[in-house]
Amino acid sequence: MSQRPLDIGWLRIFEAAGRLGSLTRAAHELGLTQPAVTYQIKRVEEQLGVSLLRRSQGGSRLTDAGEILFQAVQSSVESIDKATHDTRRTSKVPAVRIFTDFGFAAFWLMPRVTDFRRLHPEAEVHIVASQGLEDALERDTDAAMLFGAREDFPDTARLLIPECVVPVCTPGFLERFGPFNDPADFASAPLLHLETTGKSRWLTWATWLAAFGVTRPRAQGDLGLNTYGFIIQAALAEQGLALGWRGLVDHHLDLGSLVAVGPEVTRKDRGYWLVPSPTASSTTSTLLDWLINET
């Protein structure tokens, strides 16, 4: 659908000329020639019997009469543009805005939204991703898909994927540094750490190893990265062992580009939760129901 401003003739031309203080700049903004702008202004001046603009070498200034008319015209143009925008928006299928983190957006949500849009090509879906999730529930979105514990979310939240984590690496990395027959064997290999601010909501290498009674401080060969996409890229580049969240690394495990090299750790009280907006549209509900079925 066209987003061009509504054609309102001399009103828009005069508003641009008065606002910009130049017939040439007004013509450039509106995609017109300078003589065409001059002609329209002269027509209005002839009808009113007064000069609206005082031409000079440096541009055009509003006369006292022009200033009075400009105030009314500018307010009218702004109101018409807003009404045009609102009218066009109500005629469209509502866009669905989903907020989540970068890793979940890239590895779980995007492929499924692509499949959904093949079935519903009329749907418009916006994915808003960020690592800073502290204000996620306050954002202007139709739904959020966030990682945390049950108590972090309202009663309407639904668990999509429980946290289930397994160490992963490439077959080449396993050949160079493996085998990893015991969690203690990971202590001698470089590890990839997901950097977070404050207390981590996810399992870390320290908490994963602690589940098996292993203590290992960060070592010189380790690598820290601030998004999960970078972690997976580094793992594929054989820079270290990564913690792989089920649901996010399944595609790479299916392809064999990554292999699971250790036992899984599951925390059923934590994972990715779907938090819908109380005012979700029917299009949003259709998408969310479809995503729930996909899990």
Side-chain angles (χ1 to χ4, degrees):
M1 182 178 295
S2 173
Q3 296 301 312
R4 293 179 59 186
L6 194 66
D7 183 7
I8 50 177
W10 72 269
L11 292 171
R12 193 173 300 282
I13 293 173
F14 179 65
E15 188 278 334
R19 171 169 47 83
L20 298 172
S22 166
L23 298 178
T24 302
R25 287 199 293 272
H28 179 73
E29 179 180 282
L30 299 173
L32 301 172
T33 64
Q34 195 265 354
V37 170
T38 301
Y39 172 74
Q40 290 292 339
I41 299 295
K42 281 186 175 295
R43 282 191 62 196
V44 178
E45 289 178 328
E46 289 172 357
Q47 293 179 59
L48 294 174
V50 297
S51 295
L52 300 175
L53 294 170
R54 185 176 295 110
R55 285 80 168 174
S56 66
Q57 188 173 3
S60 300
R61 297 179 58 188
L62 291 165
T63 63
D64 291 344
E67 183 67 39
I68 294 172
L69 183 62
F70 175 75
Q71 294 299 325
V73 168
Q74 186 177 51
S75 175
S76 299
V77 169
E78 290 175 352
S79 297
I80 291 171
D81 285 345
K82 182 180 184 304
T84 301
H85 172 76
D86 293 342
T87 300
R88 285 170 171 164
R89 185 174 58 184
T90 57
S91 67
K92 295 174 63 177
V93 175
V96 181
R97 290 170 53 84
I98 299 178
F99 182 82
T100 189
D101 63 63
F102 288 114
F104 193 79
F107 296 115
W108 193 91
L109 186 55
M110 276 296 299
R112 286 161 176 81
V113 167
T114 300
D115 291 341
F116 175 81
R117 296 191 70 243
R118 290 194 186 101
L119 299 173
H120 302 273
E122 77 286 355
E124 181 178 343
V125 182
H126 298 174
I127 297 176
V128 184
S130 173
Q131 285 300 101
L133 303 178
E134 291 77 11
D135 60 342
L137 298 180
E138 303 301 324
R139 290 175 177 261
D140 182 21
T141 53
D142 298 293
M145 295 180 180
L146 307 171
F147 190 93
R150 166 72 268 185
E151 60 268 19
D152 297 332
F153 305 109
D155 294 339
T156 54
R158 297 183 62 173
L159 181 63
L160 280 176
I161 306 174
E163 186 179 30
C164 181
V165 181
V166 61
V168 297
C169 66
T170 64
F173 185 91
L174 176 61
E175 185 176 345
R176 286 166 52 204
F177 291 93
F180 303 106
N181 297 318
D182 185 271
D185 296 336
F186 297 127
S188 59
L191 304 181
L192 302 173
H193 300 272
L194 180 60
E195 306 283 14
T196 59
T197 57
K199 185 178 180 181
S200 177
R201 292 169 293 133
W202 296 271
L203 276 168
T204 64
W205 272 114
T207 53
W208 187 92
L209 289 168
F212 300 97
V214 178
T215 301
R216 178 195 183 276
R218 291 183 65 150
Q220 186 173 358
D222 290 358
L223 181 62
L225 298 156
N226 69 341
T227 68
Y228 195 61
F230 292 162
I231 293 287
I232 297 303
Q233 290 178 27
L236 293 170
E238 301 190 351
Q239 296 298 300
L241 280 163
L243 289 175
W245 272 261
R246 290 291 189 179
L248 305 191
V249 297
D250 293 353
H251 178 67
H252 286 293
L253 294 176
D254 292 341
L255 291 177
S257 52
L258 294 176
V259 293
V261 292
E264 295 180 348
V265 171
T266 300
R267 298 194 295 182
K268 294 184 178 181
D269 64 321
R270 290 180 175 269
Y272 276 98
W273 295 79
L274 169 61
V275 187
S277 166
T279 59
S281 67
S282 59
T283 304
T284 301
S285 298
T286 300
L287 172 58
L288 298 184
D289 289 343
W290 191 86
L291 292 173
I292 291 170
N293 289 333
E294 281 290 288
T295 61

